[in-house]
Amino acid sequence: MSHFVFIISLLTVCAIISFSSGQQRSVNITDDALLEISSRLYALDVNGAYDQLELNLQSRTSSGNRVDKAPLPLFKNGIPKNVFSRPTYEKMLSLFDNYLASVNETEQVTPQEKAEEAAFFDAVFATEVIKATHKFLVAQRLAESNVERFKEQLRNIWFGLYQRAPGKQGSSGFEHVFLGEFKNGISGLHSWVRFVTEEAKGDINYLGYTRTMSIGKGAVGLIEMPMKFLGVYKPHSTLMIGSSPELEIALYSICFLTRPDSLCPIKGNATSGISTRYQIQTFVSKFQGRRFLGSAFPTF
C-alpha cells in the first residue's frame, strides 16, 4: 500500500471515530440555521400529541416551594393510549424498565435490552423528523451520509454508558434525559412521556407550575415546575409537552453536536404575533476519551 493510500485510509477511520463518539467539529453554525431547522422539525412532527393532551395546570408556585399547590394530576386524562400505541412511543416505553435509577450502581446491558434499543432507533429513524435531522447534520459536516453510521453515532451519544459516580458505569444520556436518575436527589427526567406514566402509577406528584409557554402546537408546549418523584423533591424541572420521542431525540442531538455545554436556540411552529423561541441547554459528559450526552433540557 502506498503512503498516500495509507494516509487517506487513516483519515477516514479517524473521521468515523470522531463522528461516532459525538466529538464536536470545527464548524460555524449560525443561530438562524438552528432556528430554521428546529422550526422545520416541529412542522414535521406528525407523531406529536400536542392537541391530544389536556393539562390541569391549577395553581402557580415557585421554584423551591415544597407546598403542593396542585391536588389534581397534571395530565387530566392520564395515559394517552392511542398515542402510546404509535411505533416510536411503543418502542421507547419498552426501554423504561431497563435501567437502575441510582448512578451508584453499574448498569448491565443484556442482549434483550440491546435489541430493544435497536428497535427503538429503527422506529425513530423511519420518521421524517430524523431523516431531516440527518440531512441537516450531514450538510453541517457533523454526521456521515451513511445512515447506519449516523445511527451508530447517535446510539453512542444516547446509549453509551459512562460514570457519574466513581467506579460505577451507571449512566447514559437516554436514562438521564428521559427517565431520570438519583444522585443527591432527582437528576434529569425531562420527558412528558415518563412523567405521565409515573404520574398514572402515583409515583410522581405534580406540585404546580412556575411558567408555561406555547410553541405553536397545543395550549402548552413547555412547562417549568417543581415535583416529587418517589417521594424525592426536585425544585426545578422543565418538560416539552406533547413532542414525539423522535423530535426530542432530534433537537437534543442537534444541540449536543452544535452547541455543547451551552444554550442552543430553538423555534417552534410560527404563530401570528407570538414568539415560539426558546433554548435547549446541553451538557457533555466525558468518559474514557469519548463524549456522551450528560444532559439536555428546554429552558425559557
Side-chain angles (χ1 to χ4, degrees), residues 35-59:
L35 292 169
E36 192 279 331
I37 182 60
S38 56
S39 184
R40 182 146 47 94
L41 294 178
Y42 267 106
L44 290 171
D45 191 26
V46 296
N47 280 327
Y50 308 96
D51 296 322
Q52 300 169 59
L53 302 174
E54 190 172 352
L55 302 185
N56 278 319
L57 290 176
Q58 301 162 82
S59 297

mmCIF file of all heavy atoms in Angstrom, residues 35-59:
data_model
loop_
_atom_site.group_PDB
_atom_site.id
_atom_site.type_symbol
_atom_site.label_atom_id
_atom_site.label_comp_id
_atom_site.label_asym_id
_atom_site.label_seq_id
_atom_site.Cartn_x
_atom_site.Cartn_y
_atom_site.Cartn_z
ATOM 1 N N LEU A 35 -32.489 27.881 14.290
ATOM 2 C CA LEU A 35 -33.897 28.267 14.395
ATOM 3 C C LEU A 35 -34.697 27.708 13.223
ATOM 4 O O LEU A 35 -35.828 27.234 13.389
ATOM 5 C CB LEU A 35 -34.028 29.789 14.451
ATOM 6 C CG LEU A 35 -33.495 30.466 15.715
ATOM 7 C CD1 LEU A 35 -33.430 31.982 15.520
ATOM 8 C CD2 LEU A 35 -34.363 30.130 16.921
ATOM 9 N N GLU A 36 -34.101 27.735 12.049
ATOM 10 C CA GLU A 36 -34.804 27.259 10.854
ATOM 11 C C GLU A 36 -35.009 25.749 10.906
ATOM 12 O O GLU A 36 -36.120 25.256 10.647
ATOM 13 C CB GLU A 36 -34.010 27.645 9.600
ATOM 14 C CG GLU A 36 -34.789 27.465 8.297
ATOM 15 C CD GLU A 36 -34.803 26.036 7.781
ATOM 16 O OE1 GLU A 36 -33.824 25.297 8.054
ATOM 17 O OE2 GLU A 36 -35.788 25.650 7.121
ATOM 18 N N ILE A 37 -33.977 24.986 11.257
ATOM 19 C CA ILE A 37 -34.122 23.527 11.263
ATOM 20 C C ILE A 37 -35.053 23.087 12.385
ATOM 21 O O ILE A 37 -35.872 22.184 12.198
ATOM 22 C CB ILE A 37 -32.747 22.818 11.373
ATOM 23 C CG1 ILE A 37 -32.923 21.288 11.316
ATOM 24 C CG2 ILE A 37 -32.009 23.189 12.631
ATOM 25 C CD1 ILE A 37 -33.562 20.760 10.058
ATOM 26 N N SER A 38 -34.996 23.732 13.542
ATOM 27 C CA SER A 38 -35.872 23.320 14.637
ATOM 28 C C SER A 38 -37.333 23.592 14.304
ATOM 29 O O SER A 38 -38.211 22.761 14.579
ATOM 30 C CB SER A 38 -35.471 24.001 15.945
ATOM 31 O OG SER A 38 -35.466 25.412 15.825
ATOM 32 N N SER A 39 -37.629 24.731 13.690
ATOM 33 C CA SER A 39 -38.997 25.033 13.286
ATOM 34 C C SER A 39 -39.490 24.032 12.240
ATOM 35 O O SER A 39 -40.649 23.598 12.273
ATOM 36 C CB SER A 39 -39.081 26.459 12.739
ATOM 37 O OG SER A 39 -40.414 26.803 12.422
ATOM 38 N N ARG A 40 -38.592 23.648 11.330
ATOM 39 C CA ARG A 40 -38.965 22.666 10.311
ATOM 40 C C ARG A 40 -39.252 21.304 10.937
ATOM 41 O O ARG A 40 -40.171 20.587 10.519
ATOM 42 C CB ARG A 40 -37.841 22.571 9.277
ATOM 43 C CG ARG A 40 -38.112 21.621 8.121
ATOM 44 C CD ARG A 40 -37.506 22.124 6.837
ATOM 45 N NE ARG A 40 -36.132 22.551 7.011
ATOM 46 C CZ ARG A 40 -35.064 21.781 6.797
ATOM 47 N NH1 ARG A 40 -35.234 20.518 6.418
ATOM 48 N NH2 ARG A 40 -33.839 22.257 6.934
ATOM 49 N N LEU A 41 -38.474 20.930 11.950
ATOM 50 C CA LEU A 41 -38.692 19.644 12.620
ATOM 51 C C LEU A 41 -40.019 19.626 13.371
ATOM 52 O O LEU A 41 -40.728 18.617 13.376
ATOM 53 C CB LEU A 41 -37.534 19.341 13.573
ATOM 54 C CG LEU A 41 -36.177 19.098 12.917
ATOM 55 C CD1 LEU A 41 -35.108 18.854 13.965
ATOM 56 C CD2 LEU A 41 -36.230 17.944 11.921
ATOM 57 N N TYR A 42 -40.368 20.755 13.989
ATOM 58 C CA TYR A 42 -41.682 20.837 14.630
ATOM 59 C C TYR A 42 -42.792 20.628 13.599
ATOM 60 O O TYR A 42 -43.793 19.945 13.864
ATOM 61 C CB TYR A 42 -41.862 22.184 15.329
ATOM 62 C CG TYR A 42 -41.468 22.179 16.788
ATOM 63 C CD1 TYR A 42 -40.293 22.794 17.218
ATOM 64 C CD2 TYR A 42 -42.273 21.559 17.737
ATOM 65 C CE1 TYR A 42 -39.928 22.794 18.559
ATOM 66 C CE2 TYR A 42 -41.917 21.546 19.074
ATOM 67 C CZ TYR A 42 -40.754 22.164 19.483
ATOM 68 O OH TYR A 42 -40.401 22.148 20.814
ATOM 69 N N ALA A 43 -42.635 21.226 12.429
ATOM 70 C CA ALA A 43 -43.646 21.084 11.383
ATOM 71 C C ALA A 43 -43.767 19.639 10.903
ATOM 72 O O ALA A 43 -44.848 19.187 10.499
ATOM 73 C CB ALA A 43 -43.308 22.000 10.210
ATOM 74 N N LEU A 44 -42.664 18.895 10.969
ATOM 75 C CA LEU A 44 -42.648 17.502 10.526
ATOM 76 C C LEU A 44 -43.105 16.526 11.600
ATOM 77 O O LEU A 44 -43.271 15.335 11.331
ATOM 78 C CB LEU A 44 -41.231 17.112 10.084
ATOM 79 C CG LEU A 44 -40.702 17.741 8.798
ATOM 80 C CD1 LEU A 44 -39.217 17.419 8.630
ATOM 81 C CD2 LEU A 44 -41.492 17.253 7.590
ATOM 82 N N ASP A 45 -43.328 17.019 12.799
ATOM 83 C CA ASP A 45 -43.601 16.133 13.931
ATOM 84 C C ASP A 45 -45.063 15.663 13.947
ATOM 85 O O ASP A 45 -45.857 16.052 14.814
ATOM 86 C CB ASP A 45 -43.248 16.832 15.243
ATOM 87 C CG ASP A 45 -43.255 15.877 16.427
ATOM 88 O OD1 ASP A 45 -43.045 14.659 16.206
ATOM 89 O OD2 ASP A 45 -43.466 16.340 17.566
ATOM 90 N N VAL A 46 -45.398 14.791 13.006
ATOM 91 C CA VAL A 46 -46.773 14.298 12.883
ATOM 92 C C VAL A 46 -47.150 13.359 14.017
ATOM 93 O O VAL A 46 -48.336 13.113 14.265
ATOM 94 C CB VAL A 46 -46.983 13.599 11.523
ATOM 95 C CG1 VAL A 46 -46.811 14.586 10.384
ATOM 96 C CG2 VAL A 46 -46.038 12.410 11.366
ATOM 97 N N ASN A 47 -46.171 12.810 14.727
ATOM 98 C CA ASN A 47 -46.455 11.910 15.845
ATOM 99 C C ASN A 47 -46.614 12.652 17.169
ATOM 100 O O ASN A 47 -46.859 12.020 18.205
ATOM 101 C CB ASN A 47 -45.350 10.856 15.986
ATOM 102 C CG ASN A 47 -45.512 9.730 14.987
ATOM 103 O OD1 ASN A 47 -46.631 9.369 14.631
ATOM 104 N ND2 ASN A 47 -44.410 9.177 14.529
ATOM 105 N N GLY A 48 -46.446 13.956 17.136
ATOM 106 C CA GLY A 48 -46.619 14.728 18.356
ATOM 107 C C GLY A 48 -48.053 14.642 18.867
ATOM 108 O O GLY A 48 -48.997 14.493 18.089
ATOM 109 N N ALA A 49 -48.206 14.750 20.187
ATOM 110 C CA ALA A 49 -49.529 14.604 20.808
ATOM 111 C C ALA A 49 -50.041 15.933 21.349
ATOM 112 O O ALA A 49 -50.851 15.965 22.274
ATOM 113 C CB ALA A 49 -49.454 13.582 21.935
ATOM 114 N N TYR A 50 -49.605 17.019 20.767
ATOM 115 C CA TYR A 50 -49.844 18.358 21.294
ATOM 116 C C TYR A 50 -51.320 18.647 21.581
ATOM 117 O O TYR A 50 -51.676 19.110 22.661
ATOM 118 C CB TYR A 50 -49.298 19.397 20.305
ATOM 119 C CG TYR A 50 -47.871 19.150 19.905
ATOM 120 C CD1 TYR A 50 -47.563 18.465 18.730
ATOM 121 C CD2 TYR A 50 -46.818 19.572 20.712
ATOM 122 C CE1 TYR A 50 -46.242 18.222 18.367
ATOM 123 C CE2 TYR A 50 -45.501 19.346 20.355
ATOM 124 C CZ TYR A 50 -45.221 18.658 19.181
ATOM 125 O OH TYR A 50 -43.920 18.412 18.831
ATOM 126 N N ASP A 51 -52.187 18.392 20.615
ATOM 127 C CA ASP A 51 -53.606 18.715 20.765
ATOM 128 C C ASP A 51 -54.398 17.582 21.409
ATOM 129 O O ASP A 51 -55.619 17.692 21.565
ATOM 130 C CB ASP A 51 -54.212 19.050 19.399
ATOM 131 C CG ASP A 51 -53.594 20.303 18.793
ATOM 132 O OD1 ASP A 51 -53.314 21.239 19.562
ATOM 133 O OD2 ASP A 51 -53.374 20.333 17.567
ATOM 134 N N GLN A 52 -53.716 16.515 21.770
ATOM 135 C CA GLN A 52 -54.402 15.360 22.349
ATOM 136 C C GLN A 52 -54.179 15.240 23.853
ATOM 137 O O GLN A 52 -54.592 14.259 24.467
ATOM 138 C CB GLN A 52 -53.935 14.083 21.639
ATOM 139 C CG GLN A 52 -54.241 14.112 20.148
ATOM 140 C CD GLN A 52 -53.548 12.999 19.401
ATOM 141 O OE1 GLN A 52 -53.758 11.823 19.692
ATOM 142 N NE2 GLN A 52 -52.695 13.340 18.451
ATOM 143 N N LEU A 53 -53.522 16.240 24.425
ATOM 144 C CA LEU A 53 -53.248 16.238 25.858
ATOM 145 C C LEU A 53 -53.965 17.418 26.506
ATOM 146 O O LEU A 53 -53.899 18.536 26.011
ATOM 147 C CB LEU A 53 -51.748 16.342 26.119
ATOM 148 C CG LEU A 53 -50.862 15.250 25.507
ATOM 149 C CD1 LEU A 53 -49.396 15.584 25.733
ATOM 150 C CD2 LEU A 53 -51.196 13.878 26.075
ATOM 151 N N GLU A 54 -54.629 17.158 27.617
ATOM 152 C CA GLU A 54 -55.291 18.219 28.370
ATOM 153 C C GLU A 54 -54.641 18.299 29.744
ATOM 154 O O GLU A 54 -54.568 17.292 30.464
ATOM 155 C CB GLU A 54 -56.783 17.929 28.493
ATOM 156 C CG GLU A 54 -57.566 19.108 29.047
ATOM 157 C CD GLU A 54 -59.071 18.892 29.001
ATOM 158 O OE1 GLU A 54 -59.510 17.890 28.394
ATOM 159 O OE2 GLU A 54 -59.795 19.734 29.574
ATOM 160 N N LEU A 55 -54.174 19.493 30.080
ATOM 161 C CA LEU A 55 -53.449 19.671 31.327
ATOM 162 C C LEU A 55 -54.304 20.322 32.407
ATOM 163 O O LEU A 55 -55.114 21.202 32.119
ATOM 164 C CB LEU A 55 -52.202 20.531 31.104
ATOM 165 C CG LEU A 55 -51.180 20.039 30.083
ATOM 166 C CD1 LEU A 55 -49.953 20.957 30.095
ATOM 167 C CD2 LEU A 55 -50.772 18.594 30.340
ATOM 168 N N ASN A 56 -54.088 19.881 33.626
ATOM 169 C CA ASN A 56 -54.632 20.537 34.818
ATOM 170 C C ASN A 56 -53.516 21.385 35.421
ATOM 171 O O ASN A 56 -52.804 20.935 36.324
ATOM 172 C CB ASN A 56 -55.076 19.491 35.862
ATOM 173 C CG ASN A 56 -56.444 18.921 35.584
ATOM 174 O OD1 ASN A 56 -57.350 19.646 35.205
ATOM 175 N ND2 ASN A 56 -56.582 17.617 35.776
ATOM 176 N N LEU A 57 -53.338 22.603 34.953
ATOM 177 C CA LEU A 57 -52.234 23.420 35.470
ATOM 178 C C LEU A 57 -52.445 23.798 36.935
ATOM 179 O O LEU A 57 -51.498 23.830 37.710
ATOM 180 C CB LEU A 57 -52.081 24.684 34.622
ATOM 181 C CG LEU A 57 -51.544 24.480 33.210
ATOM 182 C CD1 LEU A 57 -51.542 25.799 32.454
ATOM 183 C CD2 LEU A 57 -50.148 23.871 33.226
ATOM 184 N N GLN A 58 -53.669 24.116 37.299
ATOM 185 C CA GLN A 58 -54.022 24.504 38.665
ATOM 186 C C GLN A 58 -53.243 25.738 39.117
ATOM 187 O O GLN A 58 -53.108 26.690 38.355
ATOM 188 C CB GLN A 58 -53.851 23.308 39.595
ATOM 189 C CG GLN A 58 -54.743 22.120 39.172
ATOM 190 C CD GLN A 58 -54.327 20.809 39.771
ATOM 191 O OE1 GLN A 58 -54.672 20.510 40.898
ATOM 192 N NE2 GLN A 58 -53.585 20.015 39.002
ATOM 193 N N SER A 59 -52.686 25.732 40.333
ATOM 194 C CA SER A 59 -52.096 26.946 40.890
ATOM 195 C C SER A 59 -50.634 27.129 40.495
ATOM 196 O O SER A 59 -49.898 26.164 40.303
ATOM 197 C CB SER A 59 -52.202 26.927 42.417
ATOM 198 O OG SER A 59 -53.548 26.924 42.829
#
